[in-house]
Amino acid sequence: VGVCGLIVPWNFPLAIITFKLGAALAAGCTTVVKAAPETPLDAYLLAEVCEEIGFPEGVINVLAADRRESEALVRHPGVDKISFTGNSQVGRHIASLCGQQLKRCSLELGGKSAAIVLEDANPASVVPGLVQAGLINSGQACAAQTRLLLPRTRYQEYVGALGELIGAMPCGDPMDPSTQIGPLVAERQRERVLGYIDAGRSEGARVVVGGKRPGSLPKGWFVEPTLFADADNRMRIAREEIFGPVLVAIPYDGEAEAVAIANDNDYGLSGSVWTADVQRGVEIARQVRTGTYNVNGFIVDFGAPFGGYKASGIGREFGPEGIASYTEAKSIAIFE
């Protein structure tokens, strides 16, 4: 496709750079990597490695900059495609700028993914998986399963087990192997998460565990891993991407209602279903409008296309589809 602007976020900085860069280079494109200002060092170290191993000058270009420079990159007439990972609001703005120039773009945006637990699931095996899927990277992950849809007949059983496990998760230094919940990226993110926790309380949801800054960690941008119960899907904490260690347990009556709740959201990035009947899980998976889905687990498969429906984005990364997004198709008719 030509010159590609790769705009990456701070939450998985090196990984997301390599996801985009690998596909762009495989397709024969040159690149400008725009790293997040919060996490510039990953990009600089990668640039040094690429220089040392002999990449031709100009094939990989790296800058760490803020939104003004990002917009200049998007607007530049010499850039043929933009690949952006970040929040949906910025993604809409980038799409509008690309639309003005009919410039190619792919957008991997936010999520508010739902984990559906069916009645036949075993709490002993399901609860640890739900917690891992919801609190990965301290909840700072677009594909995190942050809405937990639980059968009303077993709602209190699951809420109790989730609360016990989440309440025992140690917060602290991310360099300590025993730490399970590290700090958020910045003070503004901590305040954003605490604001959502306050909103959840004011809308009538109940904090089962967490809900505040840990008293033992006065320094750093920490928030306790938090579980809300007695919530419904109309609340802000159930509809908006919090991007922090906050899970919302929502009861449902019947599988049809569970699917309806999962689909009742602006986002459509990921999701999961947990059941003793795998085939039934696949049937549920086909009904939920998301770009990726898991049955009895949580993974991002780097060999399969990853991306979202609705406000979760346009296009796919990984797999053959991810490389194809950096190419243009051409047909040639020959007459002899």
Side-chain angles (χ1 to χ4, degrees):
V1 74
V3 179
C4 298
L6 313 178
I7 304 176
V8 301
W10 46 259
N11 59 325
F12 291 97
L14 183 59
I16 294 176
I17 290 173
T18 60
F19 298 159
K20 297 179 185 298
L21 190 59
L25 294 175
C29 301
T30 56
T31 61
V32 180
V33 177
K34 207 296 293 182
E38 297 88 351
T39 53
L41 300 185
D42 306 80
Y44 290 148
L45 287 170
L46 180 62
E48 290 177 6
V49 170
C50 291
E51 186 176 35
E52 288 176 11
I53 64 177
F55 267 95
E57 185 175 349
V59 172
I60 301 172
N61 305 277
V62 172
L63 79 148
D66 215 330
R67 289 187 178 182
R68 184 180 66 177
E69 291 78 14
S70 294
E71 183 160 329
L73 181 64
V74 174
R75 291 182 180 274
H76 198 289
V79 175
D80 301 289
K81 172 188 165 68
I82 294 293
S83 177
F84 170 76
T85 297
N87 70 57
S88 298
Q89 180 181 356
V90 177
R92 288 186 176 96
H93 181 57
I94 288 174
S96 70
L97 295 176
C98 289
Q100 293 170 19
Q101 305 172 62
L102 296 181
K103 179 178 294 186
R104 308 300 182 256
C105 71
S106 55
L107 308 170
E108 199 277 281
L109 307 177
K112 192 68 179 179
S113 301
I116 299 174
V117 179
L118 301 188
E119 276 196 275
D120 64 359
N122 179 5
S125 59
V126 166
V127 167
L130 290 175
V131 172
Q132 187 272 336
L135 298 180
I136 180 175
N137 202 35
S138 301
Q140 299 172 119
C142 56
Q145 317 283 288
T146 53
R147 288 185 294 155
L148 310 181
L149 309 189
L150 309 173
R152 195 177 299 275
T153 54
R154 306 185 70 182
Y155 185 70
Q156 297 304 328
E157 176 187 6
Y158 270 101
V159 168
L162 285 161
E164 183 176 350
L165 183 56
I166 293 170
M169 297 178 75
C171 297
D173 182 352
M175 301 302 289
D176 183 343
S178 67
T179 294
Q180 291 181 285
I181 298 292
L184 301 179
V185 70
E187 182 179 18
R188 70 171 191 279
Q189 189 66 17
R190 183 191 65 190
E191 297 310 305
R192 169 188 168 90
V193 172
L194 292 173
Y196 272 108
I197 292 172
D198 289 341
R201 287 192 177 103
S202 67
E203 289 182 306
R206 172 172 61 91
V207 174
V208 178
V209 291
K212 59 185 186 301
R213 295 175 60 183
S216 61
L217 297 167
K219 182 179 180 181
W221 317 126
F222 292 93
V223 174
E224 293 176 339
T226 300
L227 173 66
F228 275 103
D230 305 335
D232 67 55
N233 205 49
R234 296 168 294 181
M235 296 178 177
R236 286 183 62 203
I237 56 172
R239 302 203 69 81
E240 300 176 17
E241 187 175 44
I242 298 173
F243 229 61
V246 180
L247 304 182
V248 182
I250 302 172
Y252 72 82
D253 296 297
E255 293 176 10
E257 184 182 29
V259 170
I261 293 172
N263 285 331
D264 181 20
N265 196 270
D266 292 336
Y267 295 106
L269 184 59
S270 182
S272 59
V273 60
W274 306 74
T275 175
D277 183 345
V278 172
Q279 185 54 47
R280 184 63 188 138
V282 172
E283 292 172 6
I284 294 288
R286 294 185 184 279
Q287 299 174 59
V288 180
R289 288 189 52 78
T290 65
T292 60
Y293 212 78
N294 296 267
V295 179
N296 291 334
F298 175 70
I299 190 174
V300 175
D301 185 348
F302 300 146
F306 177 79
Y309 295 6
K310 301 184 283 187
S312 289
I314 298 170
R316 295 294 183 266
E317 295 188 303
F318 311 142
E321 295 83 358
I323 297 175
S325 72
Y326 291 92
T327 67
E328 290 277 30
K330 175 186 286 187
S331 61
I332 301 175
I334 299 175
F335 301 87
E336 294 183 354

